[in-house]
Amino acid sequence: MRPRRFLPGGPLKGRIRVPGDKSISHRSIMLGALAVGETRVTGLLEGEDVLATAAAMRAMGASVERMDSGEWIVNGVGVGALLQPEGALDMGNSGTSTRLLMGLVSSHPINATFVGDASLSKRPMGRVIDPLSSMGASFDVSDGGRLPLIVRGASPAVPIAYRLPVASAQVKSAILLAGLNTPGITRVIEPVPTRDHSERMLRGFGAELTVETDEDGARVISIRGEAELRPQTIEVPGDPSSAAFFIVAALLVPGSEVLIENVGLNPTRAGIVQVLRQMGGSIEEISPREVGGEPVADLLVRHSMLQAIDIDPAVVPSMVDEFPALFVAAALAEGVTTTTGLEELRVKESDRISVMATALSAAGAKVRETEDGLVVTGTGGEPLPGTSGPVATHLDHRIAMSMAIAGLASRSGVEVDDTRPIATSFPPFEAMLEGLSA
Ligand code: S3P
């Protein structure tokens, strides 16, 4: 464990560029590995989760290499040509790697064993096993549908039309990726829209993919299988989920003014910016543009007095990973912030509702846990008292970073029991924080 106390240190000032988007980074390596020829990726997130995806694609035959320039070169094997991996695929902490790769393996004539850390080994995989079984794959799974597990791919797999029972981009993407090597048309019906990076990138690589809206307003995504993907040059935009910690920090610490460059603002991801603005946060979009087929802008964030709100559960999918940071913002807002519809937070890297309730309470915030959310009574801008001992982060990077931010907005600091998990998604987080405080 690597504990650290995050202390208040005065206003945050300066400019930063957050690392590449984690979701897009995973997908660029996976699709590059399925396109014959050379895919070049700049701005790739070099966090442990993405490196787990890279190692898995190498184990299945692709070449994935980092150049001295920081660019990544992927030489793919082609759809249908993934090789049998020799050993188990170690997914570390990464649910995205696991679920998306389970989809890929499911329609290839190979078997793969998936293993992960203690956090990942508690997370439910039944949500992908169900549809992938209907496509013909079979599974040997640990109790409760968890890792370690073995996937035996089907060849040929059978196309399905599947209505998502949970709003999950990982489940959607697992099925679409399985559909890539499945004869005919595979369909995913998505009643609530989730991040659409897979759809955008599959199209970019030349897959035949359409998105329609049915009579109930659900998105119907169809992909034609046995696709031939063409290698691409990809520029990965900055991760809005990483930017969120600095947006909240700059809003909460008096006197702060921070420019965060190159932040991805895909509407299926940008809920946090919308909500913080509704709360009175000053977040200005500068030079909006497109990077790698995704909308991007620089964000100028200034300290603001935040007002509590009831958060509309309809925005949850577009900020599903940002609630730990939002709870910290709510803890310093004026009034009572209510969140509902957050059941999915209980099956992330940790149970983020309960873990944040405990951690924020330890820092002196007023928090009440409900079945599907948190009710947070803010201080009205007063710093939180701070913690007397370490708060438990349960191998969850976003809990560690959220509580670090809470420390900046506290009187005596917040001690986090373990900062190591931050490296899964945001290796330079602590260095950037120090740079802005200096
Ligand atoms: C992701 C989807 C989301 C998100 C995760 C990344 C993706 O998970 O929480 O961090 O890249 O598809 P769910 O699909 O489980 O909501």
Side-chain angles (χ1 to χ4, degrees), residues 53 128 180 195 297 427 431:
T53 290
V128 282
L180 267 180
R195 65 190 69 194

Side-chain angles (χ1 to χ4, degrees), residues 258-269:
V258 176
L259 183 72
I260 312 173
E261 295 173 346
N262 191 42
V263 182
L265 291 174
N266 178 316
T268 63
R269 293 289 299 285

Side-chain angles (χ1 to χ4, degrees), residues 40 63 74-75 92 108 142 164-165 338 366 399-400 417:
R40 308 177 79 93
S63 146
V74 184
N75 267 288
H108 278 75
S142 303
L164 293 177
T338 308
K366 269 202 208 144
I399 303 291
D417 68 345

Side-chain angles (χ1 to χ4, degrees), residues 22-23 27 96 99 127 167-170 195 320-321 348:
K22 181 151 75 72
S23 294
R27 288 155 172 84
T96 308
R99 296 193 177 116
R127 53 182 60 199
S168 166
Q170 291 181 357
R195 65 190 69 194
V320 67
D321 290 336
K348 295 294 179 190

